PDB file of all heavy atoms in Angstrom:
ATOM      1  N   GLU A  28      12.653  -5.224 -21.460  1.00  0.00           N
ATOM      2  CA  GLU A  28      12.076  -4.416 -20.388  1.00  0.00           C
ATOM      3  C   GLU A  28      13.193  -4.039 -19.417  1.00  0.00           C
ATOM      4  O   GLU A  28      14.089  -4.840 -19.162  1.00  0.00           O
ATOM      5  CB  GLU A  28      10.997  -5.223 -19.650  1.00  0.00           C
ATOM      6  CG  GLU A  28      10.301  -4.414 -18.593  1.00  0.00           C
ATOM      7  CD  GLU A  28       9.113  -5.139 -18.001  1.00  0.00           C
ATOM      8  OE1 GLU A  28       8.080  -5.234 -18.682  1.00  0.00           O
ATOM      9  OE2 GLU A  28       9.243  -5.618 -16.867  1.00  0.00           O
ATOM     10  N   PRO A  29      13.158  -2.807 -18.893  1.00  0.00           N
ATOM     11  CA  PRO A  29      14.200  -2.437 -17.925  1.00  0.00           C
ATOM     12  C   PRO A  29      14.105  -3.320 -16.686  1.00  0.00           C
ATOM     13  O   PRO A  29      13.046  -3.891 -16.393  1.00  0.00           O
ATOM     14  CB  PRO A  29      13.893  -0.985 -17.588  1.00  0.00           C
ATOM     15  CG  PRO A  29      12.562  -0.686 -18.142  1.00  0.00           C
ATOM     16  CD  PRO A  29      12.189  -1.754 -19.109  1.00  0.00           C
ATOM     17  N   PRO A  30      15.198  -3.431 -15.946  1.00  0.00           N
ATOM     18  CA  PRO A  30      15.158  -4.246 -14.735  1.00  0.00           C
ATOM     19  C   PRO A  30      14.217  -3.636 -13.692  1.00  0.00           C
ATOM     20  O   PRO A  30      13.950  -2.429 -13.706  1.00  0.00           O
ATOM     21  CB  PRO A  30      16.604  -4.232 -14.236  1.00  0.00           C
ATOM     22  CG  PRO A  30      17.213  -3.014 -14.843  1.00  0.00           C
ATOM     23  CD  PRO A  30      16.482  -2.787 -16.144  1.00  0.00           C
ATOM     24  N   ALA A  31      13.736  -4.465 -12.810  1.00  0.00           N
ATOM     25  CA  ALA A  31      12.873  -3.994 -11.722  1.00  0.00           C
ATOM     26  C   ALA A  31      13.648  -3.026 -10.834  1.00  0.00           C
ATOM     27  O   ALA A  31      14.843  -3.204 -10.592  1.00  0.00           O
ATOM     28  CB  ALA A  31      12.374  -5.178 -10.903  1.00  0.00           C
ATOM     29  N   THR A  32      12.953  -2.007 -10.369  1.00  0.00           N
ATOM     30  CA  THR A  32      13.551  -1.062  -9.432  1.00  0.00           C
ATOM     31  C   THR A  32      13.152  -1.481  -8.026  1.00  0.00           C
ATOM     32  O   THR A  32      11.964  -1.661  -7.730  1.00  0.00           O
ATOM     33  CB  THR A  32      13.085   0.371  -9.714  1.00  0.00           C
ATOM     34  OG1 THR A  32      13.418   0.704 -11.068  1.00  0.00           O
ATOM     35  CG2 THR A  32      13.747   1.362  -8.778  1.00  0.00           C
ATOM     36  N   LEU A  33      14.166  -1.619  -7.182  1.00  0.00           N
ATOM     37  CA  LEU A  33      13.969  -2.051  -5.795  1.00  0.00           C
ATOM     38  C   LEU A  33      14.461  -0.950  -4.875  1.00  0.00           C
ATOM     39  O   LEU A  33      15.666  -0.675  -4.826  1.00  0.00           O
ATOM     40  CB  LEU A  33      14.718  -3.362  -5.529  1.00  0.00           C
ATOM     41  CG  LEU A  33      14.403  -4.516  -6.474  1.00  0.00           C
ATOM     42  CD1 LEU A  33      15.281  -5.719  -6.142  1.00  0.00           C
ATOM     43  CD2 LEU A  33      12.934  -4.878  -6.425  1.00  0.00           C
ATOM     44  N   LEU A  34      13.524  -0.329  -4.179  1.00  0.00           N
ATOM     45  CA  LEU A  34      13.913   0.729  -3.249  1.00  0.00           C
ATOM     46  C   LEU A  34      14.640   0.131  -2.044  1.00  0.00           C
ATOM     47  O   LEU A  34      14.381  -1.009  -1.651  1.00  0.00           O
ATOM     48  CB  LEU A  34      12.673   1.496  -2.783  1.00  0.00           C
ATOM     49  CG  LEU A  34      11.975   2.310  -3.865  1.00  0.00           C
ATOM     50  CD1 LEU A  34      10.700   2.943  -3.314  1.00  0.00           C
ATOM     51  CD2 LEU A  34      12.897   3.373  -4.427  1.00  0.00           C
ATOM     52  N   PRO A  35      15.529   0.913  -1.438  1.00  0.00           N
ATOM     53  CA  PRO A  35      16.249   0.404  -0.265  1.00  0.00           C
ATOM     54  C   PRO A  35      15.332   0.314   0.950  1.00  0.00           C
ATOM     55  O   PRO A  35      14.360   1.071   1.072  1.00  0.00           O
ATOM     56  CB  PRO A  35      17.352   1.437  -0.043  1.00  0.00           C
ATOM     57  CG  PRO A  35      16.856   2.690  -0.686  1.00  0.00           C
ATOM     58  CD  PRO A  35      15.963   2.254  -1.828  1.00  0.00           C
ATOM     59  N   ALA A  36      15.661  -0.603   1.828  1.00  0.00           N
ATOM     60  CA  ALA A  36      14.926  -0.745   3.090  1.00  0.00           C
ATOM     61  C   ALA A  36      15.248   0.447   3.996  1.00  0.00           C
ATOM     62  O   ALA A  36      16.303   1.077   3.864  1.00  0.00           O
ATOM     63  CB  ALA A  36      15.311  -2.043   3.774  1.00  0.00           C
ATOM     64  N   HIS A  37      14.327   0.741   4.881  1.00  0.00           N
ATOM     65  CA  HIS A  37      14.511   1.819   5.850  1.00  0.00           C
ATOM     66  C   HIS A  37      14.034   1.281   7.201  1.00  0.00           C
ATOM     67  O   HIS A  37      12.908   1.566   7.637  1.00  0.00           O
ATOM     68  CB  HIS A  37      13.714   3.051   5.416  1.00  0.00           C
ATOM     69  CG  HIS A  37      14.120   4.321   6.088  1.00  0.00           C
ATOM     70  ND1 HIS A  37      14.363   4.428   7.433  1.00  0.00           N
ATOM     71  CD2 HIS A  37      14.327   5.558   5.579  1.00  0.00           C
ATOM     72  CE1 HIS A  37      14.677   5.666   7.751  1.00  0.00           C
ATOM     73  NE2 HIS A  37      14.662   6.372   6.624  1.00  0.00           N
ATOM     74  N   ASP A  38      14.909   0.517   7.851  1.00  0.00           N
ATOM     75  CA  ASP A  38      14.530  -0.203   9.067  1.00  0.00           C
ATOM     76  C   ASP A  38      14.037   0.705  10.189  1.00  0.00           C
ATOM     77  O   ASP A  38      13.058   0.386  10.861  1.00  0.00           O
ATOM     78  CB  ASP A  38      15.697  -1.063   9.566  1.00  0.00           C
ATOM     79  CG  ASP A  38      16.065  -2.165   8.595  1.00  0.00           C
ATOM     80  OD1 ASP A  38      15.197  -2.581   7.787  1.00  0.00           O
ATOM     81  OD2 ASP A  38      17.237  -2.614   8.636  1.00  0.00           O
ATOM     82  N   GLU A  39      14.707   1.835  10.393  1.00  0.00           N
ATOM     83  CA  GLU A  39      14.309   2.750  11.467  1.00  0.00           C
ATOM     84  C   GLU A  39      12.896   3.292  11.217  1.00  0.00           C
ATOM     85  O   GLU A  39      12.060   3.325  12.118  1.00  0.00           O
ATOM     86  CB  GLU A  39      15.309   3.894  11.568  1.00  0.00           C
ATOM     87  CG  GLU A  39      14.999   4.877  12.684  1.00  0.00           C
ATOM     88  CD  GLU A  39      15.974   6.042  12.702  1.00  0.00           C
ATOM     89  OE1 GLU A  39      17.105   5.921  12.187  1.00  0.00           O
ATOM     90  OE2 GLU A  39      15.592   7.088  13.247  1.00  0.00           O
ATOM     91  N   ALA A  40      12.624   3.705   9.991  1.00  0.00           N
ATOM     92  CA  ALA A  40      11.296   4.229   9.659  1.00  0.00           C
ATOM     93  C   ALA A  40      10.251   3.120   9.707  1.00  0.00           C
ATOM     94  O   ALA A  40       9.119   3.361  10.155  1.00  0.00           O
ATOM     95  CB  ALA A  40      11.326   4.887   8.284  1.00  0.00           C
ATOM     96  N   ASP A  41      10.612   1.914   9.261  1.00  0.00           N
ATOM     97  CA  ASP A  41       9.680   0.777   9.350  1.00  0.00           C
ATOM     98  C   ASP A  41       9.260   0.531  10.798  1.00  0.00           C
ATOM     99  O   ASP A  41       8.079   0.315  11.084  1.00  0.00           O
ATOM    100  CB  ASP A  41      10.310  -0.499   8.789  1.00  0.00           C
ATOM    101  CG  ASP A  41      10.445  -0.513   7.279  1.00  0.00           C
ATOM    102  OD1 ASP A  41       9.762   0.278   6.597  1.00  0.00           O
ATOM    103  OD2 ASP A  41      11.250  -1.330   6.787  1.00  0.00           O
ATOM    104  N   ALA A  42      10.230   0.558  11.707  1.00  0.00           N
ATOM    105  CA  ALA A  42       9.934   0.326  13.128  1.00  0.00           C
ATOM    106  C   ALA A  42       9.056   1.446  13.683  1.00  0.00           C
ATOM    107  O   ALA A  42       8.111   1.189  14.443  1.00  0.00           O
ATOM    108  CB  ALA A  42      11.230   0.210  13.924  1.00  0.00           C
ATOM    109  N   ALA A  43       9.358   2.685  13.298  1.00  0.00           N
ATOM    110  CA  ALA A  43       8.549   3.818  13.768  1.00  0.00           C
ATOM    111  C   ALA A  43       7.122   3.716  13.248  1.00  0.00           C
ATOM    112  O   ALA A  43       6.157   3.971  13.987  1.00  0.00           O
ATOM    113  CB  ALA A  43       9.188   5.134  13.330  1.00  0.00           C
ATOM    114  N   LEU A  44       6.960   3.311  11.996  1.00  0.00           N
ATOM    115  CA  LEU A  44       5.621   3.171  11.422  1.00  0.00           C
ATOM    116  C   LEU A  44       4.853   2.047  12.105  1.00  0.00           C
ATOM    117  O   LEU A  44       3.673   2.207  12.416  1.00  0.00           O
ATOM    118  CB  LEU A  44       5.694   2.934   9.916  1.00  0.00           C
ATOM    119  CG  LEU A  44       4.352   2.779   9.206  1.00  0.00           C
ATOM    120  CD1 LEU A  44       3.466   3.998   9.421  1.00  0.00           C
ATOM    121  CD2 LEU A  44       4.568   2.526   7.724  1.00  0.00           C
ATOM    122  N   ALA A  45       5.507   0.942  12.357  1.00  0.00           N
ATOM    123  CA  ALA A  45       4.834  -0.176  13.041  1.00  0.00           C
ATOM    124  C   ALA A  45       4.344   0.263  14.415  1.00  0.00           C
ATOM    125  O   ALA A  45       3.207  -0.049  14.804  1.00  0.00           O
ATOM    126  CB  ALA A  45       5.775  -1.366  13.149  1.00  0.00           C
ATOM    127  N   ALA A  46       5.163   1.001  15.146  1.00  0.00           N
ATOM    128  CA  ALA A  46       4.760   1.487  16.471  1.00  0.00           C
ATOM    129  C   ALA A  46       3.612   2.484  16.355  1.00  0.00           C
ATOM    130  O   ALA A  46       2.662   2.454  17.151  1.00  0.00           O
ATOM    131  CB  ALA A  46       5.950   2.124  17.182  1.00  0.00           C
ATOM    132  N   ALA A  47       3.670   3.362  15.366  1.00  0.00           N
ATOM    133  CA  ALA A  47       2.607   4.348  15.178  1.00  0.00           C
ATOM    134  C   ALA A  47       1.295   3.675  14.814  1.00  0.00           C
ATOM    135  O   ALA A  47       0.228   4.051  15.317  1.00  0.00           O
ATOM    136  CB  ALA A  47       3.009   5.355  14.093  1.00  0.00           C
TER     137      ALA A  47
END
Side-chain angles (χ1 to χ4, degrees):
E28 184 172 286
T32 303
L33 306 177
L34 293 176
H37 197 315
D38 295 336
E39 182 183 337
D41 288 341
L44 180 58

